């Protein structure tokens, strides 16, 4: 059967539950992968999600920070949560649904200083990406029908930011982070799905920061939210949608949803 998968960093589900309902009604994804839910698992709004048509939920949450969830219209199997870098900071969940293995990640942002010796947050980010690549290789992910989605907090290509020359020393777009993403792609035999549909040099963004109020109006964006699939799913890739309209809603998340249709 066809499968529609969405990924969205909602930046607090408590604040944007109405946004999620509005998005779900407009785009009708079968599965939604959420990042930065910023709430403990025990208060996740399962009844509200069921009312939206998503009765099946897997949540890995914590109070006030991080947190990821997968909500689905379809029953899923093999629910799993994995701890990375020896820290249980709620950055991964996985299920099998619609014939695919689906992983939802929230990679650490990395702070402001792109030097792992001076900045523990940046060191954590690089370690996380390194562990992802090692896991993908060890688990022979490339041989499986797998989808990896989430806020990976890296804009790896030149046209994944609004100004490459100006931003190449900024965390999220440094050469070392792009190299780590490339290693992950190689280790998992992964397809960069948005660039499969919208190749460079066209600009492609999913995040417009809050620091500059006119960032969205002036299109000062970054591509931080990703969908990656393994080669066995290449023939099922159908369409991709960037739901930019959500960034215009009142009190929006700084990220917008990315939606993949599999045949």
């Amino acid at each position: 059967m066809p499968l529609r998968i969405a990924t969205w960093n909602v930046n607090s589900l408590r604040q944007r539950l109405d946004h999620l309902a509005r998005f779900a009604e407009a785009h009708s994804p079968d599965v939604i992968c959420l990042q930065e839910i910023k709430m403990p698992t025990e208060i996740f709004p399962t009844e509200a999600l069921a009312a939206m048509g998503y009765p099946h939920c897997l949540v890995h949450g914590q109070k006030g920070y991080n947190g990821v969830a997968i909500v689905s219209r379809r029953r899923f199997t093999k629910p799993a949560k994995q701890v990375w870098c020896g820290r249980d900071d709620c950055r991964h969940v996985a299920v099998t649904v619609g014939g695919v293995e689906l992983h939802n990640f929230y990679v650490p942002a990395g702070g402001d200083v792109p030097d792992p010796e001076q900045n523990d947050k940046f060191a954590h980010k690089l370690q996380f990406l390194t562990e992802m690549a090692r896991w993908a290789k060890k688990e022979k992910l490339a041989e499986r029908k797998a989808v990896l989605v989430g806020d990976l907090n890296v804009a790896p290509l030149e046209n994944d930011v609004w100004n490459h020359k100006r931003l190449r020393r900024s965390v999220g777009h440094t050469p070392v982070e792009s190299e780590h993403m490339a290693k992950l792609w190689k280790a998992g035999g992964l397809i960069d799905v948005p660039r499969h549909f919208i190749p460079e040099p066209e600009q492609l963004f999913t995040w417009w920061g809050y620091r500059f109020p006119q960032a969205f109006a002036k299109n000062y964006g970054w591509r931080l939210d990703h969908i990656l699939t393994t080669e066995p799913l290449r023939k099922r890739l159908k369409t991709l949608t960037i739901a930019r309209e959500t960034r215009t809603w009142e009190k929006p998340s700084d990220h917008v949803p990315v939606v993949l249709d599999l045949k």
Side-chain angles (χ1 to χ4, degrees):
M1 294 179 63
L3 184 67
R4 177 171 289 181
I5 299 169
T7 178
W8 193 9
N9 180 326
V10 291
N11 198 358
S12 177
L13 183 58
R14 192 195 306 268
Q15 293 184 26
R16 298 189 175 86
L17 190 59
D18 289 345
H19 285 204
L20 181 60
R22 184 176 175 183
F23 164 74
E25 183 177 3
H27 291 269
S28 298
D30 297 300
V31 187
I32 308 174
C33 297
L34 301 169
Q35 304 90 41
E36 275 203 282
I37 60 173
K38 295 183 178 180
M39 61 173 55
T41 301
E42 55 269 21
I43 68 167
F44 190 82
T46 52
E47 291 184 4
L49 268 297
M52 292 180 206
Y54 297 89
H56 310 290
C57 302
L58 177 63
V59 184
H60 195 189
Q62 65 180 118
K63 185 178 179 180
Y65 297 94
N66 307 336
V68 290
I70 297 175
V71 301
S72 179
R73 289 178 169 174
R74 302 188 193 179
R75 292 185 181 275
F76 52 68
T77 60
K78 300 181 181 179
K81 307 172 186 178
Q82 189 162 328
V83 173
W84 303 80
C85 305
R87 305 185 192 187
D88 191 8
D89 52 357
C90 305
R91 295 183 179 274
H92 173 256
V93 283
V95 300
T96 295
V97 61
V100 302
E101 178 182 338
L102 176 61
H103 293 267
N104 179 21
F105 284 95
Y106 175 49
V107 171
D112 294 325
V113 180
D115 185 336
E117 295 184 1
Q118 298 181 34
N119 178 5
D120 290 341
K121 292 181 179 179
F122 193 68
H124 180 207
K125 181 178 191 175
L126 297 184
Q127 182 186 359
F128 198 104
L129 292 166
T130 297
E131 288 192 10
M132 285 179 68
R134 288 175 179 168
W135 160 80
K137 184 175 182 180
K138 180 181 178 182
E139 297 296 322
K140 297 182 179 179
L141 195 69
E143 301 175 9
R144 313 204 302 246
K145 294 178 179 178
V147 180
L148 277 65
V149 306
D151 176 3
L152 304 188
N153 265 311
V154 181
L157 306 178
E158 285 193 15
N159 294 290
D160 289 342
V161 294
W162 65 275
N163 188 321
H164 167 66
K165 290 183 179 180
R166 181 170 177 176
L167 297 171
R168 61 183 179 178
R169 294 182 180 85
S170 298
V171 172
H173 189 59
T174 62
V176 66
E177 291 167 279
S178 296
E179 289 168 8
H180 275 69
M181 280 286 285
K183 289 177 181 178
L184 171 61
W185 293 340
K186 182 177 180 180
L190 296 169
I191 301 165
D192 181 1
V193 174
R195 286 304 185 184
H196 169 82
F197 290 101
I198 308 168
E200 285 207 297
E202 185 170 346
Q203 289 186 323
L204 183 59
F205 308 143
T206 65
W207 177 86
W208 295 262
Y210 291 136
R211 292 183 182 179
F212 181 52
Q214 292 184 306
F216 185 73
K218 292 184 177 293
N219 205 28
Y220 291 168
W222 297 50
R223 182 170 73 108
L224 301 179
D225 306 271
H226 294 263
I227 297 181
L228 308 167
T229 67
T230 53
E231 281 291 336
L233 290 174
R234 182 182 289 274
K235 292 182 179 180
R236 289 189 63 184
L237 299 176
K238 184 180 179 183
T239 59
L240 183 94
T241 303
I242 310 291
R244 289 172 59 105
E245 72 276 8
T246 64
R247 189 62 174 82
T248 68
W249 296 348
E250 185 178 0
K251 296 182 179 179
S253 172
D254 43 356
H255 298 258
V256 301
V258 184
V259 184
L260 171 65
D261 280 295
L262 293 174
K263 298 175 187 176

